[in-house]
Amino acid sequence: MDDGFGKIKVIPDHFQVSTPPSEDSLQNRSSPDSQPSTGNSSRYYFLKDRSRSSLWSRRKLRRAAFMLNLFSLRGLPWSGADGQEKVQLTAAELESLRSELADKEEREAHLKAQLEHIDEILRSARLSGYLYIRSRWTALPGEPAPIDDIDVDDWLPRFVVLHGQCIFFYLCSTDLSPQDSTLLSDVVEVGPLPNFIREDEGTQYSFYILTRQGLRYECSHVSELQVNTWLSALRTDCKLESDVEVPNGS
């Protein structure tokens, strides 16, 4: 019969005293397989976050190094402390860095001026484009006639601009100052020249511009349409009559 206190029923040995865990149970409990799934999950996400943070730091360092290489800056010493990347510069390196940045700013300003110059030419010039150019002087009175130098290949590419009352000759389209120029009022004759063949470029169509000083500019281009356009524009602006076409040469 169970012991009782009044109406309270007591069941002996129902609540057993917990005993200290054995050594085997501690080993089983500490093994990875016996860990709860929530523990494994927490540890996995912690390692994953730490890996992401390390990967982000490496990417940030590579991005900074790429920017330095992009602007052609010298390699700078990097150091890390407390997980932060820092650049250590001496006074000489800092001055060199400032000098390089100043040079790049000057280069940027020069390129901007070139771009504005080209834009102005394209907007305001009557005609512009690349032509092969060579120059010859006509013989003065009493001098022998110049020798036939049609086989001499001394043609040089020039960017020619017909603007206002002048013809400008630039080494290239990005130059800010022309290499040579002549006034339209000094042009006394414009006309075609015999065609010729240049190796690897085919037939070249050509024309000449003669000034009152005796300087003769010979111009050529691979496009017959381009040559005819120049001839028409020069004759109109210089108020010259159209000359009889010269028969094509070989």
Side-chain angles (χ1 to χ4, degrees), residues 127-136 150 155-156 158-162 167-169 182 184 187 189-196 198 203-211 215-236 238 240 242-249:
L127 194 59
S128 63
Y130 277 98
L131 296 173
Y132 279 98
I133 303 291
R134 69 179 185 177
S135 59
R136 296 290 187 269
I150 191 173
W155 299 88
L156 297 174
R158 293 291 182 266
F159 188 72
V160 186
V161 178
L162 177 58
I167 305 173
F168 299 97
F169 301 90
T182 186
L184 294 181
V187 176
E189 190 177 334
V190 174
L193 288 173
N195 303 338
F196 62 95
R198 177 178 294 156
T203 302
Q204 299 288 313
Y205 303 90
S206 57
F207 65 97
Y208 69 92
I209 304 170
L210 181 62
T211 67
L215 181 60
R216 170 169 151 157
Y217 295 98
E218 297 183 359
C219 313
S220 69
H221 197 275
V222 70
S223 169
E224 184 178 11
L225 177 61
Q226 184 83 343
V227 168
N228 290 337
T229 301
W230 276 99
L231 280 172
S232 176
L234 289 171
R235 285 168 177 161
T236 300
C238 298
L240 301 174
S242 177
D243 298 330
V244 179
E245 293 188 359
V246 176
N248 293 340

Side-chain angles (χ1 to χ4, degrees), residues 68 71-77 88-105:
L68 291 177
F71 291 102
S72 303
L73 299 177
R74 298 175 182 175
L76 300 176
Q88 294 179 342
L89 293 176
T90 64
E93 289 172 336
L94 181 59
E95 185 63 27
S96 175
L97 182 60
R98 288 174 177 172
S99 176
E100 291 185 20
L101 290 176
D103 291 341
K104 293 184 182 302
E105 290 177 356

Side-chain angles (χ1 to χ4, degrees), residues 107-212:
R107 175 63 175 167
E108 180 184 2
H110 181 70
L111 292 176
K112 184 178 180 181
Q114 288 180 325
L115 182 61
E116 292 175 351
H117 176 66
I118 296 174
D119 182 67
E120 179 65 22
I121 288 177
L122 295 178
R123 288 176 181 272
S124 59
R126 170 147 163 68
L127 194 59
S128 63
Y130 277 98
L131 296 173
Y132 279 98
I133 303 291
R134 69 179 185 177
S135 59
R136 296 290 187 269
W137 288 97
T138 57
L140 296 174
E143 289 185 344
I147 61 174
D148 184 8
D149 58 355
I150 191 173
D151 294 332
V152 178
D153 189 2
D154 56 351
W155 299 88
L156 297 174
R158 293 291 182 266
F159 188 72
V160 186
V161 178
L162 177 58
H163 182 268
Q165 297 300 313
C166 285
I167 305 173
F168 299 97
F169 301 90
Y170 294 86
L171 286 176
C172 60
S173 61
T174 56
D175 285 352
L176 299 180
S177 300
Q179 183 192 34
D180 194 8
S181 64
T182 186
L183 293 171
L184 294 181
S185 58
D186 289 337
V187 176
V188 296
E189 190 177 334
V190 174
L193 288 173
N195 303 338
F196 62 95
I197 297 177
R198 177 178 294 156
E199 187 177 358
D200 299 332
E201 294 188 19
T203 302
Q204 299 288 313
Y205 303 90
S206 57
F207 65 97
Y208 69 92
I209 304 170
L210 181 62
T211 67
R212 66 177 72 256

Side-chain angles (χ1 to χ4, degrees), residues 52-66:
R52 285 180 178 176
S53 177
S54 177
L55 180 60
W56 180 83
S57 297
R58 289 196 300 268
R59 286 179 177 176
K60 185 173 66 173
L61 181 61
R62 286 197 299 267
R63 189 179 299 112
F66 171 77

